[in-house]
Amino acid sequence: MDDLLAADYPMLAALAADPPSGPAALAARAGELYPAANDDQRRHLEYLLDLLGAAGDPILLDLLIRLRTASLLASVVHRGLPVPEPVLDQLIKELGYQPPVIDAAGLSGNRRRAKALGALLKDDDRCGRAALALARLGAREWTVPIARRLFAVAGLKHIFLAVALEEMGDPAAVPVLLDWLANGPEQNAWDVHRALVRLTGRSPLLPSPDDIRQVWAGLDLTVGPVPEVRDVAVDSPFALRFSVDEGRARVRVEFDPSLPGSMWPRWDQTLYVGDQARFGVGSGCETCESTLRLLGFGPAEALAGAARVREVLAAPRELTAATVRALEPLLQELETGHYRMLLADLPLERVRTLEQSWWSMRRTETRSAWEGDPDWPGIEHFQLPQAIPGEMPTYGSVVPSQPLDALDQVTVDRYAEAIARGERPAALLLAWAEDRYISAQWPERFVLGVVLDGHHRLAAYAAAGVPARLVLLVRGESGETVEEVVGGCFGV
């Protein structure tokens, strides 16, 4: 620990992951070194204290109370920690309403700070961050002023304001948002659409993103949503398209709440199955690595119309409009959107460790140098045993929505016997594709799937070494990519 001031970021990350004397002692030593350190060393120590989490929090707060710097305040805000009121008042006097001060005011829980934050809505450079701070305070008296401010800003500032309205959760914004769609500037309306979905409980199907204004103008908000599966088009025995209107979104990927101190109001996303957050799916940043990290399983939940779903999946040989109708109770649980349904046989192997997983192996195959530990699902899963050749390396990974180590072996054996007889029961997956250009150096693609039904079947296929029959539900533009990747496995 005496070499802390000379350590670089990777060394500090390794030290934080396994502190020789424990995290509390390491945090205390960082706190002792901090006051006499230079600016660069301080940044390193702040990074270390952040990595140490709860062990570093009291040290960060103690340093902030004594030194009151914008850099320390930014670290405290990043940790989501409330600053003691007298210290925050002093920081406002000394630093003014810089971004970390605005964030700290929003985290304070003190509604008396709302008036000063509301005044910042007039400032083009600070209005977005101030709006999020007001949302964190739950200061709904500022809902309409935040919504009206949308008329005068664009780009990232516009997104900040729309996200603030989502997090405020106040329906008073709805008339102003509808007015913006009808009479506002001609610019991207996607974030206003997202805010309206959140605030109204309605999720109308958009023929295309350009139809947002027209769709909301014709929507009767006095009636409740009625989920509908429609626009079924069969392209082949192994591929069809359909749309979900006013989907219940019990199976969905949604953005996480905005992080205090972040320059991006939307970043990480989470996949939900039922009411349980199952996997963190990372950001949409095209130069960041793909992420699929277990958050928790919760109680097992039967799919809507589970008996009918399993009847359809018993031995599918082709996809028809009747397949969609039979699965309709389940499909209504998806998010609103345009989908592909694909039927394919794909080889899958069961993966128990990071070292066996593509999340780790792909790095050694394609990269000469890389810093940092692989971010992987953190749970047993399935994967394609070989990378898919093409213009970029393509890897397939399938993660469970219930723990594989809790599967009933008798059921797995029963499916294994059926597979040995030539039967091909299918598993149902929610799937998507991600094309990335990691650190603007390494192109790669992941085809990802989450098991909605069929864990025992997949375990049996993997044990038998027989390609698994899969019904893939793929949302949006990603569907074309997934169809292209698995198309060679059609013709089951």
Side-chain angles (χ1 to χ4, degrees), residues 323-358:
T323 309
V324 176
R325 294 306 164 206
L327 294 176
E328 188 164 0
L330 166 67
L331 301 180
Q332 291 176 355
E333 301 293 301
L334 301 175
E335 295 179 90
T336 292
H338 304 284
Y339 289 83
R340 276 174 167 77
M341 183 184 296
L342 309 174
L343 179 64
D345 282 0
L346 295 174
L348 293 176
E349 63 183 6
R350 188 163 170 176
V351 178
R352 291 178 167 84
T353 68
L354 169 62
E355 291 73 24
Q356 298 172 301
S357 175
W358 283 125

PDB file of all heavy atoms in Angstrom, residues 323-358:
ATOM      1  N   THR A 323     -48.891 -20.432 -35.686  1.00  0.00           N
ATOM      2  CA  THR A 323     -47.901 -20.420 -34.609  1.00  0.00           C
ATOM      3  C   THR A 323     -48.012 -19.127 -33.817  1.00  0.00           C
ATOM      4  O   THR A 323     -47.999 -19.116 -32.583  1.00  0.00           O
ATOM      5  CB  THR A 323     -46.480 -20.564 -35.179  1.00  0.00           C
ATOM      6  OG1 THR A 323     -46.412 -21.668 -36.062  1.00  0.00           O
ATOM      7  CG2 THR A 323     -45.481 -20.729 -34.062  1.00  0.00           C
ATOM      8  N   VAL A 324     -48.113 -18.021 -34.537  1.00  0.00           N
ATOM      9  CA  VAL A 324     -48.224 -16.716 -33.878  1.00  0.00           C
ATOM     10  C   VAL A 324     -49.497 -16.645 -33.046  1.00  0.00           C
ATOM     11  O   VAL A 324     -49.473 -16.183 -31.894  1.00  0.00           O
ATOM     12  CB  VAL A 324     -48.182 -15.587 -34.928  1.00  0.00           C
ATOM     13  CG1 VAL A 324     -48.400 -14.231 -34.264  1.00  0.00           C
ATOM     14  CG2 VAL A 324     -46.854 -15.607 -35.678  1.00  0.00           C
ATOM     15  N   ARG A 325     -50.605 -17.100 -33.601  1.00  0.00           N
ATOM     16  CA  ARG A 325     -51.867 -17.028 -32.864  1.00  0.00           C
ATOM     17  C   ARG A 325     -51.820 -17.901 -31.609  1.00  0.00           C
ATOM     18  O   ARG A 325     -52.341 -17.526 -30.555  1.00  0.00           O
ATOM     19  CB  ARG A 325     -53.020 -17.446 -33.760  1.00  0.00           C
ATOM     20  CG  ARG A 325     -53.261 -16.503 -34.920  1.00  0.00           C
ATOM     21  CD  ARG A 325     -53.431 -15.065 -34.456  1.00  0.00           C
ATOM     22  NE  ARG A 325     -53.296 -14.103 -35.559  1.00  0.00           N
ATOM     23  CZ  ARG A 325     -52.905 -12.859 -35.400  1.00  0.00           C
ATOM     24  NH1 ARG A 325     -52.595 -12.406 -34.196  1.00  0.00           N
ATOM     25  NH2 ARG A 325     -52.810 -12.047 -36.443  1.00  0.00           N
ATOM     26  N   ALA A 326     -51.178 -19.054 -31.718  1.00  0.00           N
ATOM     27  CA  ALA A 326     -51.091 -19.923 -30.545  1.00  0.00           C
ATOM     28  C   ALA A 326     -50.221 -19.311 -29.451  1.00  0.00           C
ATOM     29  O   ALA A 326     -50.466 -19.512 -28.261  1.00  0.00           O
ATOM     30  CB  ALA A 326     -50.527 -21.281 -30.958  1.00  0.00           C
ATOM     31  N   LEU A 327     -49.201 -18.550 -29.846  1.00  0.00           N
ATOM     32  CA  LEU A 327     -48.301 -17.922 -28.886  1.00  0.00           C
ATOM     33  C   LEU A 327     -48.751 -16.519 -28.480  1.00  0.00           C
ATOM     34  O   LEU A 327     -48.066 -15.848 -27.709  1.00  0.00           O
ATOM     35  CB  LEU A 327     -46.889 -17.839 -29.472  1.00  0.00           C
ATOM     36  CG  LEU A 327     -46.162 -19.161 -29.711  1.00  0.00           C
ATOM     37  CD1 LEU A 327     -44.821 -18.912 -30.383  1.00  0.00           C
ATOM     38  CD2 LEU A 327     -45.966 -19.912 -28.405  1.00  0.00           C
ATOM     39  N   GLU A 328     -49.897 -16.076 -28.986  1.00  0.00           N
ATOM     40  CA  GLU A 328     -50.300 -14.678 -28.803  1.00  0.00           C
ATOM     41  C   GLU A 328     -50.339 -14.228 -27.345  1.00  0.00           C
ATOM     42  O   GLU A 328     -49.887 -13.115 -27.036  1.00  0.00           O
ATOM     43  CB  GLU A 328     -51.642 -14.423 -29.475  1.00  0.00           C
ATOM     44  CG  GLU A 328     -52.022 -12.954 -29.503  1.00  0.00           C
ATOM     45  CD  GLU A 328     -53.129 -12.652 -30.495  1.00  0.00           C
ATOM     46  OE1 GLU A 328     -53.617 -13.586 -31.167  1.00  0.00           O
ATOM     47  OE2 GLU A 328     -53.506 -11.475 -30.601  1.00  0.00           O
ATOM     48  N   PRO A 329     -50.867 -15.030 -26.394  1.00  0.00           N
ATOM     49  CA  PRO A 329     -50.850 -14.546 -25.000  1.00  0.00           C
ATOM     50  C   PRO A 329     -49.441 -14.201 -24.506  1.00  0.00           C
ATOM     51  O   PRO A 329     -49.261 -13.236 -23.774  1.00  0.00           O
ATOM     52  CB  PRO A 329     -51.440 -15.726 -24.223  1.00  0.00           C
ATOM     53  CG  PRO A 329     -52.302 -16.437 -25.214  1.00  0.00           C
ATOM     54  CD  PRO A 329     -51.560 -16.320 -26.516  1.00  0.00           C
ATOM     55  N   LEU A 330     -48.455 -14.982 -24.933  1.00  0.00           N
ATOM     56  CA  LEU A 330     -47.075 -14.673 -24.565  1.00  0.00           C
ATOM     57  C   LEU A 330     -46.570 -13.457 -25.332  1.00  0.00           C
ATOM     58  O   LEU A 330     -45.939 -12.559 -24.754  1.00  0.00           O
ATOM     59  CB  LEU A 330     -46.172 -15.866 -24.859  1.00  0.00           C
ATOM     60  CG  LEU A 330     -44.668 -15.558 -24.839  1.00  0.00           C
ATOM     61  CD1 LEU A 330     -44.215 -15.193 -23.436  1.00  0.00           C
ATOM     62  CD2 LEU A 330     -43.874 -16.721 -25.385  1.00  0.00           C
ATOM     63  N   LEU A 331     -46.823 -13.388 -26.629  1.00  0.00           N
ATOM     64  CA  LEU A 331     -46.310 -12.293 -27.444  1.00  0.00           C
ATOM     65  C   LEU A 331     -46.847 -10.949 -26.980  1.00  0.00           C
ATOM     66  O   LEU A 331     -46.172  -9.918 -27.111  1.00  0.00           O
ATOM     67  CB  LEU A 331     -46.647 -12.527 -28.916  1.00  0.00           C
ATOM     68  CG  LEU A 331     -46.096 -13.828 -29.518  1.00  0.00           C
ATOM     69  CD1 LEU A 331     -46.495 -13.932 -30.981  1.00  0.00           C
ATOM     70  CD2 LEU A 331     -44.593 -13.921 -29.349  1.00  0.00           C
ATOM     71  N   GLN A 332     -48.046 -10.928 -26.412  1.00  0.00           N
ATOM     72  CA  GLN A 332     -48.594  -9.679 -25.872  1.00  0.00           C
ATOM     73  C   GLN A 332     -47.805  -9.179 -24.666  1.00  0.00           C
ATOM     74  O   GLN A 332     -47.907  -8.010 -24.297  1.00  0.00           O
ATOM     75  CB  GLN A 332     -50.057  -9.878 -25.485  1.00  0.00           C
ATOM     76  CG  GLN A 332     -50.989 -10.078 -26.663  1.00  0.00           C
ATOM     77  CD  GLN A 332     -52.414 -10.374 -26.237  1.00  0.00           C
ATOM     78  OE1 GLN A 332     -52.703 -10.533 -25.041  1.00  0.00           O
ATOM     79  NE2 GLN A 332     -53.315 -10.481 -27.197  1.00  0.00           N
ATOM     80  N   GLU A 333     -47.008 -10.054 -24.053  1.00  0.00           N
ATOM     81  CA  GLU A 333     -46.189  -9.662 -22.905  1.00  0.00           C
ATOM     82  C   GLU A 333     -44.901  -8.954 -23.329  1.00  0.00           C
ATOM     83  O   GLU A 333     -44.182  -8.421 -22.492  1.00  0.00           O
ATOM     84  CB  GLU A 333     -45.817 -10.899 -22.077  1.00  0.00           C
ATOM     85  CG  GLU A 333     -46.999 -11.694 -21.542  1.00  0.00           C
ATOM     86  CD  GLU A 333     -47.782 -10.907 -20.510  1.00  0.00           C
ATOM     87  OE1 GLU A 333     -47.181 -10.514 -19.490  1.00  0.00           O
ATOM     88  OE2 GLU A 333     -48.983 -10.671 -20.722  1.00  0.00           O
ATOM     89  N   LEU A 334     -44.599  -8.942 -24.627  1.00  0.00           N
ATOM     90  CA  LEU A 334     -43.406  -8.277 -25.121  1.00  0.00           C
ATOM     91  C   LEU A 334     -43.611  -6.768 -25.178  1.00  0.00           C
ATOM     92  O   LEU A 334     -44.713  -6.261 -25.022  1.00  0.00           O
ATOM     93  CB  LEU A 334     -43.066  -8.796 -26.518  1.00  0.00           C
ATOM     94  CG  LEU A 334     -42.802 -10.298 -26.662  1.00  0.00           C
ATOM     95  CD1 LEU A 334     -42.614 -10.649 -28.130  1.00  0.00           C
ATOM     96  CD2 LEU A 334     -41.591 -10.717 -25.845  1.00  0.00           C
ATOM     97  N   GLU A 335     -42.520  -6.069 -25.420  1.00  0.00           N
ATOM     98  CA  GLU A 335     -42.603  -4.635 -25.681  1.00  0.00           C
ATOM     99  C   GLU A 335     -43.280  -4.389 -27.025  1.00  0.00           C
ATOM    100  O   GLU A 335     -43.180  -5.201 -27.954  1.00  0.00           O
ATOM    101  CB  GLU A 335     -41.210  -4.018 -25.748  1.00  0.00           C
ATOM    102  CG  GLU A 335     -40.410  -4.035 -24.490  1.00  0.00           C
ATOM    103  CD  GLU A 335     -39.040  -3.426 -24.710  1.00  0.00           C
ATOM    104  OE1 GLU A 335     -38.905  -2.197 -24.531  1.00  0.00           O
ATOM    105  OE2 GLU A 335     -38.119  -4.169 -25.066  1.00  0.00           O
ATOM    106  N   THR A 336     -43.927  -3.251 -27.135  1.00  0.00           N
ATOM    107  CA  THR A 336     -44.422  -2.817 -28.436  1.00  0.00           C
ATOM    108  C   THR A 336     -43.266  -2.760 -29.434  1.00  0.00           C
ATOM    109  O   THR A 336     -42.167  -2.308 -29.101  1.00  0.00           O
ATOM    110  CB  THR A 336     -45.054  -1.423 -28.314  1.00  0.00           C
ATOM    111  OG1 THR A 336     -46.244  -1.531 -27.536  1.00  0.00           O
ATOM    112  CG2 THR A 336     -45.387  -0.832 -29.670  1.00  0.00           C
ATOM    113  N   GLY A 337     -43.520  -3.232 -30.646  1.00  0.00           N
ATOM    114  CA  GLY A 337     -42.486  -3.151 -31.664  1.00  0.00           C
ATOM    115  C   GLY A 337     -42.699  -4.138 -32.788  1.00  0.00           C
ATOM    116  O   GLY A 337     -43.688  -4.872 -32.823  1.00  0.00           O
ATOM    117  N   HIS A 338     -41.765  -4.142 -33.709  1.00  0.00           N
ATOM    118  CA  HIS A 338     -41.787  -5.022 -34.874  1.00  0.00           C
ATOM    119  C   HIS A 338     -40.799  -6.160 -34.630  1.00  0.00           C
ATOM    120  O   HIS A 338     -39.652  -5.925 -34.238  1.00  0.00           O
ATOM    121  CB  HIS A 338     -41.418  -4.252 -36.139  1.00  0.00           C
ATOM    122  CG  HIS A 338     -42.287  -3.056 -36.378  1.00  0.00           C
ATOM    123  ND1 HIS A 338     -43.572  -3.153 -36.866  1.00  0.00           N
ATOM    124  CD2 HIS A 338     -42.066  -1.728 -36.172  1.00  0.00           C
ATOM    125  CE1 HIS A 338     -44.102  -1.944 -36.973  1.00  0.00           C
ATOM    126  NE2 HIS A 338     -43.207  -1.057 -36.552  1.00  0.00           N
ATOM    127  N   TYR A 339     -41.235  -7.392 -34.877  1.00  0.00           N
ATOM    128  CA  TYR A 339     -40.449  -8.564 -34.512  1.00  0.00           C
ATOM    129  C   TYR A 339     -40.282  -9.517 -35.688  1.00  0.00           C
ATOM    130  O   TYR A 339     -41.090  -9.549 -36.614  1.00  0.00           O
ATOM    131  CB  TYR A 339     -41.134  -9.336 -33.376  1.00  0.00           C
ATOM    132  CG  TYR A 339     -41.100  -8.642 -32.037  1.00  0.00           C
ATOM    133  CD1 TYR A 339     -42.041  -7.663 -31.735  1.00  0.00           C
ATOM    134  CD2 TYR A 339     -40.139  -8.965 -31.089  1.00  0.00           C
ATOM    135  CE1 TYR A 339     -42.027  -7.019 -30.508  1.00  0.00           C
ATOM    136  CE2 TYR A 339     -40.112  -8.335 -29.858  1.00  0.00           C
ATOM    137  CZ  TYR A 339     -41.055  -7.354 -29.572  1.00  0.00           C
ATOM    138  OH  TYR A 339     -41.026  -6.720 -28.351  1.00  0.00           O
ATOM    139  N   ARG A 340     -39.247 -10.335 -35.595  1.00  0.00           N
ATOM    140  CA  ARG A 340     -39.088 -11.520 -36.405  1.00  0.00           C
ATOM    141  C   ARG A 340     -39.183 -12.739 -35.499  1.00  0.00           C
ATOM    142  O   ARG A 340     -38.706 -12.714 -34.361  1.00  0.00           O
ATOM    143  CB  ARG A 340     -37.743 -11.526 -37.123  1.00  0.00           C
ATOM    144  CG  ARG A 340     -37.726 -10.748 -38.431  1.00  0.00           C
ATOM    145  CD  ARG A 340     -36.302 -10.706 -38.990  1.00  0.00           C
ATOM    146  NE  ARG A 340     -36.276 -10.258 -40.365  1.00  0.00           N
ATOM    147  CZ  ARG A 340     -36.408  -8.993 -40.757  1.00  0.00           C
ATOM    148  NH1 ARG A 340     -36.611  -8.054 -39.847  1.00  0.00           N
ATOM    149  NH2 ARG A 340     -36.360  -8.658 -42.035  1.00  0.00           N
ATOM    150  N   MET A 341     -39.774 -13.810 -36.018  1.00  0.00           N
ATOM    151  CA  MET A 341     -39.745 -15.114 -35.356  1.00  0.00           C
ATOM    152  C   MET A 341     -38.989 -16.058 -36.279  1.00  0.00           C
ATOM    153  O   MET A 341     -39.313 -16.161 -37.470  1.00  0.00           O
ATOM    154  CB  MET A 341     -41.157 -15.640 -35.095  1.00  0.00           C
ATOM    155  CG  MET A 341     -41.196 -16.967 -34.340  1.00  0.00           C
ATOM    156  SD  MET A 341     -42.890 -17.640 -34.140  1.00  0.00           S
ATOM    157  CE  MET A 341     -43.645 -16.379 -33.117  1.00  0.00           C
ATOM    158  N   LEU A 342     -37.950 -16.701 -35.739  1.00  0.00           N
ATOM    159  CA  LEU A 342     -37.089 -17.568 -36.527  1.00  0.00           C
ATOM    160  C   LEU A 342     -37.059 -18.959 -35.913  1.00  0.00           C
ATOM    161  O   LEU A 342     -37.082 -19.099 -34.679  1.00  0.00           O
ATOM    162  CB  LEU A 342     -35.659 -17.008 -36.585  1.00  0.00           C
ATOM    163  CG  LEU A 342     -35.513 -15.546 -37.010  1.00  0.00           C
ATOM    164  CD1 LEU A 342     -34.069 -15.099 -36.879  1.00  0.00           C
ATOM    165  CD2 LEU A 342     -36.004 -15.344 -38.443  1.00  0.00           C
ATOM    166  N   LEU A 343     -36.991 -19.969 -36.758  1.00  0.00           N
ATOM    167  CA  LEU A 343     -36.880 -21.356 -36.309  1.00  0.00           C
ATOM    168  C   LEU A 343     -35.561 -21.907 -36.839  1.00  0.00           C
ATOM    169  O   LEU A 343     -35.327 -21.914 -38.055  1.00  0.00           O
ATOM    170  CB  LEU A 343     -38.048 -22.187 -36.844  1.00  0.00           C
ATOM    171  CG  LEU A 343     -38.062 -23.676 -36.489  1.00  0.00           C
ATOM    172  CD1 LEU A 343     -38.200 -23.888 -34.990  1.00  0.00           C
ATOM    173  CD2 LEU A 343     -39.209 -24.382 -37.234  1.00  0.00           C
ATOM    174  N   ALA A 344     -34.688 -22.342 -35.944  1.00  0.00           N
ATOM    175  CA  ALA A 344     -33.364 -22.798 -36.370  1.00  0.00           C
ATOM    176  C   ALA A 344     -32.854 -23.869 -35.421  1.00  0.00           C
ATOM    177  O   ALA A 344     -33.252 -23.945 -34.263  1.00  0.00           O
ATOM    178  CB  ALA A 344     -32.388 -21.619 -36.406  1.00  0.00           C
ATOM    179  N   ASP A 345     -31.971 -24.706 -35.941  1.00  0.00           N
ATOM    180  CA  ASP A 345     -31.243 -25.676 -35.124  1.00  0.00           C
ATOM    181  C   ASP A 345     -29.811 -25.183 -34.968  1.00  0.00           C
ATOM    182  O   ASP A 345     -29.085 -25.056 -35.971  1.00  0.00           O
ATOM    183  CB  ASP A 345     -31.232 -27.045 -35.807  1.00  0.00           C
ATOM    184  CG  ASP A 345     -32.549 -27.790 -35.648  1.00  0.00           C
ATOM    185  OD1 ASP A 345     -33.465 -27.232 -35.012  1.00  0.00           O
ATOM    186  OD2 ASP A 345     -32.652 -28.924 -36.155  1.00  0.00           O
ATOM    187  N   LEU A 346     -29.403 -24.888 -33.733  1.00  0.00           N
ATOM    188  CA  LEU A 346     -28.073 -24.348 -33.484  1.00  0.00           C
ATOM    189  C   LEU A 346     -27.335 -25.216 -32.473  1.00  0.00           C
ATOM    190  O   LEU A 346     -27.905 -25.579 -31.429  1.00  0.00           O
ATOM    191  CB  LEU A 346     -28.164 -22.914 -32.939  1.00  0.00           C
ATOM    192  CG  LEU A 346     -28.750 -21.863 -33.879  1.00  0.00           C
ATOM    193  CD1 LEU A 346     -28.900 -20.537 -33.158  1.00  0.00           C
ATOM    194  CD2 LEU A 346     -27.859 -21.697 -35.099  1.00  0.00           C
ATOM    195  N   PRO A 347     -26.079 -25.530 -32.727  1.00  0.00           N
ATOM    196  CA  PRO A 347     -25.299 -26.282 -31.741  1.00  0.00           C
ATOM    197  C   PRO A 347     -25.009 -25.402 -30.525  1.00  0.00           C
ATOM    198  O   PRO A 347     -24.608 -24.244 -30.673  1.00  0.00           O
ATOM    199  CB  PRO A 347     -24.014 -26.628 -32.501  1.00  0.00           C
ATOM    200  CG  PRO A 347     -23.893 -25.555 -33.539  1.00  0.00           C
ATOM    201  CD  PRO A 347     -25.292 -25.200 -33.936  1.00  0.00           C
ATOM    202  N   LEU A 348     -25.220 -25.934 -29.347  1.00  0.00           N
ATOM    203  CA  LEU A 348     -24.959 -25.200 -28.117  1.00  0.00           C
ATOM    204  C   LEU A 348     -24.179 -26.079 -27.152  1.00  0.00           C
ATOM    205  O   LEU A 348     -24.452 -27.280 -27.032  1.00  0.00           O
ATOM    206  CB  LEU A 348     -26.265 -24.755 -27.449  1.00  0.00           C
ATOM    207  CG  LEU A 348     -27.115 -23.710 -28.163  1.00  0.00           C
ATOM    208  CD1 LEU A 348     -28.408 -23.465 -27.397  1.00  0.00           C
ATOM    209  CD2 LEU A 348     -26.340 -22.399 -28.342  1.00  0.00           C
ATOM    210  N   GLU A 349     -23.227 -25.475 -26.474  1.00  0.00           N
ATOM    211  CA  GLU A 349     -22.515 -26.153 -25.403  1.00  0.00           C
ATOM    212  C   GLU A 349     -22.786 -25.427 -24.088  1.00  0.00           C
ATOM    213  O   GLU A 349     -23.055 -24.230 -24.079  1.00  0.00           O
ATOM    214  CB  GLU A 349     -21.014 -26.195 -25.684  1.00  0.00           C
ATOM    215  CG  GLU A 349     -20.356 -24.827 -25.763  1.00  0.00           C
ATOM    216  CD  GLU A 349     -18.870 -24.908 -26.110  1.00  0.00           C
ATOM    217  OE1 GLU A 349     -18.390 -26.020 -26.395  1.00  0.00           O
ATOM    218  OE2 GLU A 349     -18.205 -23.850 -26.098  1.00  0.00           O
ATOM    219  N   ARG A 350     -22.711 -26.185 -23.008  1.00  0.00           N
ATOM    220  CA  ARG A 350     -22.941 -25.599 -21.686  1.00  0.00           C
ATOM    221  C   ARG A 350     -21.624 -25.072 -21.133  1.00  0.00           C
ATOM    222  O   ARG A 350     -20.598 -25.759 -21.165  1.00  0.00           O
ATOM    223  CB  ARG A 350     -23.531 -26.644 -20.753  1.00  0.00           C
ATOM    224  CG  ARG A 350     -23.984 -26.094 -19.408  1.00  0.00           C
ATOM    225  CD  ARG A 350     -24.915 -27.079 -18.743  1.00  0.00           C
ATOM    226  NE  ARG A 350     -25.211 -26.721 -17.356  1.00  0.00           N
ATOM    227  CZ  ARG A 350     -26.072 -27.384 -16.589  1.00  0.00           C
ATOM    228  NH1 ARG A 350     -26.722 -28.446 -17.085  1.00  0.00           N
ATOM    229  NH2 ARG A 350     -26.297 -27.014 -15.341  1.00  0.00           N
ATOM    230  N   VAL A 351     -21.655 -23.840 -20.633  1.00  0.00           N
ATOM    231  CA  VAL A 351     -20.458 -23.154 -20.162  1.00  0.00           C
ATOM    232  C   VAL A 351     -20.593 -22.914 -18.665  1.00  0.00           C
ATOM    233  O   VAL A 351     -21.590 -22.353 -18.206  1.00  0.00           O
ATOM    234  CB  VAL A 351     -20.273 -21.814 -20.895  1.00  0.00           C
ATOM    235  CG1 VAL A 351     -19.055 -21.084 -20.372  1.00  0.00           C
ATOM    236  CG2 VAL A 351     -20.172 -22.023 -22.391  1.00  0.00           C
ATOM    237  N   ARG A 352     -19.586 -23.304 -17.909  1.00  0.00           N
ATOM    238  CA  ARG A 352     -19.655 -23.179 -16.448  1.00  0.00           C
ATOM    239  C   ARG A 352     -18.671 -22.163 -15.881  1.00  0.00           C
ATOM    240  O   ARG A 352     -18.816 -21.742 -14.736  1.00  0.00           O
ATOM    241  CB  ARG A 352     -19.432 -24.546 -15.801  1.00  0.00           C
ATOM    242  CG  ARG A 352     -20.578 -25.532 -16.045  1.00  0.00           C
ATOM    243  CD  ARG A 352     -20.283 -26.886 -15.426  1.00  0.00           C
ATOM    244  NE  ARG A 352     -21.481 -27.718 -15.378  1.00  0.00           N
ATOM    245  CZ  ARG A 352     -21.926 -28.460 -16.379  1.00  0.00           C
ATOM    246  NH1 ARG A 352     -21.263 -28.464 -17.524  1.00  0.00           N
ATOM    247  NH2 ARG A 352     -23.019 -29.189 -16.257  1.00  0.00           N
ATOM    248  N   THR A 353     -17.655 -21.782 -16.630  1.00  0.00           N
ATOM    249  CA  THR A 353     -16.631 -20.867 -16.111  1.00  0.00           C
ATOM    250  C   THR A 353     -16.341 -19.766 -17.119  1.00  0.00           C
ATOM    251  O   THR A 353     -16.585 -19.912 -18.321  1.00  0.00           O
ATOM    252  CB  THR A 353     -15.324 -21.607 -15.799  1.00  0.00           C
ATOM    253  OG1 THR A 353     -14.734 -22.059 -17.025  1.00  0.00           O
ATOM    254  CG2 THR A 353     -15.567 -22.794 -14.871  1.00  0.00           C
ATOM    255  N   LEU A 354     -15.770 -18.683 -16.628  1.00  0.00           N
ATOM    256  CA  LEU A 354     -15.372 -17.576 -17.488  1.00  0.00           C
ATOM    257  C   LEU A 354     -14.374 -18.037 -18.542  1.00  0.00           C
ATOM    258  O   LEU A 354     -14.452 -17.628 -19.714  1.00  0.00           O
ATOM    259  CB  LEU A 354     -14.768 -16.455 -16.635  1.00  0.00           C
ATOM    260  CG  LEU A 354     -14.055 -15.319 -17.375  1.00  0.00           C
ATOM    261  CD1 LEU A 354     -15.019 -14.588 -18.288  1.00  0.00           C
ATOM    262  CD2 LEU A 354     -13.418 -14.347 -16.379  1.00  0.00           C
ATOM    263  N   GLU A 355     -13.439 -18.896 -18.152  1.00  0.00           N
ATOM    264  CA  GLU A 355     -12.388 -19.324 -19.071  1.00  0.00           C
ATOM    265  C   GLU A 355     -12.943 -20.094 -20.264  1.00  0.00           C
ATOM    266  O   GLU A 355     -12.340 -20.099 -21.332  1.00  0.00           O
ATOM    267  CB  GLU A 355     -11.361 -20.186 -18.319  1.00  0.00           C
ATOM    268  CG  GLU A 355     -10.519 -19.431 -17.304  1.00  0.00           C
ATOM    269  CD  GLU A 355     -11.293 -19.042 -16.056  1.00  0.00           C
ATOM    270  OE1 GLU A 355     -12.315 -19.713 -15.744  1.00  0.00           O
ATOM    271  OE2 GLU A 355     -10.877 -18.064 -15.396  1.00  0.00           O
ATOM    272  N   GLN A 356     -14.102 -20.752 -20.093  1.00  0.00           N
ATOM    273  CA  GLN A 356     -14.717 -21.498 -21.187  1.00  0.00           C
ATOM    274  C   GLN A 356     -15.576 -20.620 -22.093  1.00  0.00           C
ATOM    275  O   GLN A 356     -16.001 -21.059 -23.161  1.00  0.00           O
ATOM    276  CB  GLN A 356     -15.620 -22.606 -20.623  1.00  0.00           C
ATOM    277  CG  GLN A 356     -14.926 -23.664 -19.795  1.00  0.00           C
ATOM    278  CD  GLN A 356     -15.954 -24.580 -19.143  1.00  0.00           C
ATOM    279  OE1 GLN A 356     -16.825 -24.149 -18.385  1.00  0.00           O
ATOM    280  NE2 GLN A 356     -15.869 -25.860 -19.455  1.00  0.00           N
ATOM    281  N   SER A 357     -15.840 -19.406 -21.654  1.00  0.00           N
ATOM    282  CA  SER A 357     -16.858 -18.578 -22.286  1.00  0.00           C
ATOM    283  C   SER A 357     -16.284 -17.678 -23.367  1.00  0.00           C
ATOM    284  O   SER A 357     -15.142 -17.202 -23.278  1.00  0.00           O
ATOM    285  CB  SER A 357     -17.536 -17.716 -21.209  1.00  0.00           C
ATOM    286  OG  SER A 357     -18.448 -16.807 -21.785  1.00  0.00           O
ATOM    287  N   TRP A 358     -17.089 -17.420 -24.415  1.00  0.00           N
ATOM    288  CA  TRP A 358     -16.675 -16.471 -25.441  1.00  0.00           C
ATOM    289  C   TRP A 358     -16.389 -15.095 -24.866  1.00  0.00           C
ATOM    290  O   TRP A 358     -15.580 -14.342 -25.430  1.00  0.00           O
ATOM    291  CB  TRP A 358     -17.751 -16.347 -26.518  1.00  0.00           C
ATOM    292  CG  TRP A 358     -17.803 -17.478 -27.485  1.00  0.00           C
ATOM    293  CD1 TRP A 358     -18.877 -18.259 -27.793  1.00  0.00           C
ATOM    294  CD2 TRP A 358     -16.725 -17.969 -28.300  1.00  0.00           C
ATOM    295  NE1 TRP A 358     -18.552 -19.201 -28.731  1.00  0.00           N
ATOM    296  CE2 TRP A 358     -17.228 -19.048 -29.062  1.00  0.00           C
ATOM    297  CE3 TRP A 358     -15.385 -17.599 -28.445  1.00  0.00           C
ATOM    298  CZ2 TRP A 358     -16.444 -19.753 -29.954  1.00  0.00           C
ATOM    299  CZ3 TRP A 358     -14.590 -18.308 -29.341  1.00  0.00           C
ATOM    300  CH2 TRP A 358     -15.119 -19.363 -30.085  1.00  0.00           C
TER     301      TRP A 358
END
